[in-house]
Structures are given as structure tokens and as C-alpha cells.
Amino acid sequence: VGGSRILGFSKNTYYFRTSDADGLVIGSKVKLDGIRVGTVNAISPDLETKNIRVKLIISSEFSEWLRKDATVEMATQGLLGDKFVSIHGGSHDNATLKDQSEIRLLEGQGINKFLSDGEKLLQSVNRIATGLERIIASLEKDGRADALFSGLAGTAKNLNDVSKNLR
């Protein structure tokens, strides 16, 4: 089996390309079908493809699980947690993926996209809530809310009187 030895453990190197590695850092976890098997070793621009190349170091004991149809996606642990790399090993009908191979990226798939979109939604809701808090605080100063509602009631009465005269 290929790979290198680090601290006595045999490691294999794989990589994938993405257009957006936001939140992924060197040292991020790599999981294979839910089991932690390695880490992100490097994140660098790929000038040839104009993408970002992410290098993964994976314990070679799991190399038998990685097949040519393996896929990778970037995931978030929990709603606002750390980013990690999730690998689906592929079908056992396919040959084993060799050391130094590229793994195909699945962008925006399943629950991970939902959680990522949920995080953006929560940020928007938080901005709206902050704005509403400012408006309410402003209305609570010096009886402004009472004056506003009194003014609205007067306007409603005047509109009612005008509509009666138009009939």
C-alpha cells in the first residue's frame, strides 16, 4: 500500500477541488461514513482550474474503504459548528482508490446544505430581531408609543368621517 508514515502510522493522501472552502481549516476532521479517519492537511489555490485544492491525510487502514466512485462533501457539525470533510466510500463493486487520487466533490447536498442554509436564515432573523429591538426601544422613550397609537387612532377616526361624507 502506498502512502507515508507519520509517527509510526501509515497515511494516504487524497484531495478534492472546490470553489468555496469557507470555514474549512487545516486540521479540520475528515470522516468516512461517519468515522473519523484523518484531517485536512492543506488548502491552496489551484491556478490551473481556478478552484481551491484541499489535501486530505487519511489513515491507510481505511484506504480499502475508499473506492473509485467515492464522493466528498464539506459539512457542518451541528447548526453553527465547525466545518469538516465527509467522505462516502463508494461501492464495493468498484476498485480501491489509489493513494494521491482525487475524490469527486458533491456540492450542496442533503442535510448539510440545509444546515448551512439554516445558519444563513438564523443570521437574517437575528438582524431583523435586532432592528425590531431598536424600534421598540425608540418607541418606549418618553411615551412615544402612546403618542403614536393616539395619532393612529385619530387618523383612523378622520378617515372614517371622510368616508361617511363621501357616501
Side-chain angles (χ1 to χ4, degrees):
V1 177
S4 61
R5 289 190 158 283
I6 302 172
L7 299 174
F9 296 101
S10 182
K11 308 283 183 181
N12 284 0
T13 301
Y14 302 96
Y15 67 94
F16 69 94
R17 289 184 172 91
T18 181
S19 61
D20 182 8
D22 186 35
L24 199 63
V25 296
I26 294 172
S28 291
K29 295 176 187 175
V30 175
K31 294 183 178 184
L32 173 64
D33 295 327
I35 301 169
R36 185 170 180 180
V37 296
T39 59
V40 171
N41 182 263
I43 302 170
S44 57
D46 185 337
L47 301 176
E48 184 179 314
T49 64
K50 305 289 190 233
N51 278 321
I52 299 162
R53 187 173 194 249
V54 179
K55 181 178 173 184
L56 311 174
I57 300 295
I58 297 174
S59 175
S60 62
E61 71 181 283
F62 296 100
S63 63
E64 205 42 50
W65 293 19
L66 289 176
R67 303 302 174 134
K68 287 193 175 194
D69 63 336
T71 56
V72 63
E73 63 183 315
M74 291 185 292
T76 303
Q77 188 160 340
L79 201 53
L80 302 172
D82 294 334
K83 297 278 187 180
F84 68 95
V85 175
S86 178
I87 301 174
H88 174 66
S91 169
H92 288 288
D93 297 338
N94 287 300
T96 302
L97 196 60
K98 294 181 179 171
D99 186 39
Q100 302 294 323
S101 293
E102 180 173 0
I103 303 173
R104 185 173 61 91
L105 173 69
L106 292 178
E107 291 195 78
Q109 300 292 315
I111 190 72
N112 296 317
K113 179 167 178 23
F114 173 76
L115 290 175
S116 176
D117 290 347
E119 182 176 347
K120 292 175 189 171
L121 177 63
L122 282 176
Q123 290 171 351
S124 293
V125 168
N126 190 30
R127 283 192 299 273
I128 291 167
T130 300
L132 287 173
E133 286 174 352
R134 286 186 194 135
I135 291 168
I136 291 169
S138 173
L139 287 174
E140 289 175 341
K141 283 185 181 175
D142 305 324
R144 290 181 184 172
D146 292 336
L148 173 68
F149 291 121
S150 176
L152 286 173
T155 301
K157 183 184 179 309
N158 290 340
L159 286 173
N160 189 31
D161 292 343
V162 168
S163 68
K164 283 180 183 176
N165 291 334
L166 290 176
R167 291 184 198 165

